[in-house]
Amino acid sequence: MLVTSADPITNLYVHVPFCAQKCSYCAFYSEASSGEVINRYVAALSKEMDLVAVDLNPRTIFFGGGTPSLLNLKQWQQVLETMARLNLLGAEEWTVECNPATVSLDKARLLRSYGVNRISMGVQSLNETLLDRLGRIHSREMVFKSFDILRRAGFDNLNLD
């Protein structure tokens, strides 16, 4: 069925298929990638939003992956500015998945300033041995540090999975 502007899409999932490294247990499509490939993805995502924005009126937005927080400030700025230009901001709930190792205060503040109001942080475990066995790039200490950074940036809706 063709979606028209009479039937706006109200729930939007954006898959960011990049990780610092691919975890052996992960069944989602993702790949370890360089900045140039991610730049090309961000440019393509911006073009795609230009094409479909007329059919979008998102009440909820979820950026998942992969690791959306792997995008750098410039890449996020491009995505967010495109969304602002196309009037795609203001969702009731807007979630971005993060890895504790890729959280920064500047990035968290940028996301929050554009209306992201929920962070889903992929912790998997607080046991250092298990984190190592799973191939996770973060430590137990990074989880707590990143949680504090996100709270300082204004996030009060956080889940750890």
Side-chain angles (χ1 to χ4, degrees), residues 35 38-39 42 68-78 107 110:
I38 297 172
N39 285 338
V42 167
S69 61
L70 192 63
L71 274 63
N72 64 34
L73 282 171
K74 183 178 177 184
Q75 293 159 341
W76 268 115
Q77 189 74 41
Q78 183 176 345
K107 197 180 303 181
L110 177 69

Side-chain angles (χ1 to χ4, degrees), residues 16 18 33-47 70-76 78-79:
V16 180
F18 307 109
S33 199
S34 69
E36 182 52 37
V37 172
I38 297 172
N39 285 338
R40 290 191 353 242
Y41 166 84
V42 167
L45 176 61
S46 295
K47 287 178 185 175
L70 192 63
L71 274 63
N72 64 34
L73 282 171
K74 183 178 177 184
Q75 293 159 341
W76 268 115
Q78 183 176 345
V79 170

Side-chain angles (χ1 to χ4, degrees), residues 12-19 26 28-30 41 45 61-71 76 94-99 118 120 161:
L12 180 63
Y13 174 79
V14 178
H15 188 72
V16 180
F18 307 109
C19 293
C26 182
F28 295 102
Y29 177 76
S30 64
Y41 166 84
L45 176 61
I61 300 171
F62 194 100
F63 275 75
T67 309
S69 61
L70 192 63
L71 274 63
W76 268 115
W94 184 356
T95 304
V96 173
E97 284 185 337
C98 292
N99 178 296
R118 181 173 173 261
S120 178
D161 63 29

Side-chain angles (χ1 to χ4, degrees), residues 51-120:
L51 294 173
V52 300
V54 70
D55 292 327
L56 302 178
N57 184 17
R59 284 184 20 256
T60 66
I61 300 171
F62 194 100
F63 275 75
T67 309
S69 61
L70 192 63
L71 274 63
N72 64 34
L73 282 171
K74 183 178 177 184
Q75 293 159 341
W76 268 115
Q77 189 74 41
Q78 183 176 345
V79 170
L80 296 167
E81 286 176 359
T82 299
M83 292 178 74
R85 179 176 49 78
L86 297 171
N87 199 29
L88 297 176
L89 303 180
E92 294 170 26
E93 183 173 275
W94 184 356
T95 304
V96 173
E97 284 185 337
C98 292
N99 178 296
T102 59
V103 170
S104 72
L105 185 56
D106 288 340
K107 197 180 303 181
R109 284 181 174 156
L110 177 69
L111 294 172
R112 191 71 192 102
S113 73
Y114 275 86
V116 175
N117 56 20
R118 181 173 173 261
I119 297 293
S120 178

Side-chain angles (χ1 to χ4, degrees), residues 3-11 54-58:
V3 178
T4 67
S5 59
D7 300 318
I9 295 170
T10 58
N11 303 291
V54 70
D55 292 327
L56 302 178
N57 184 17

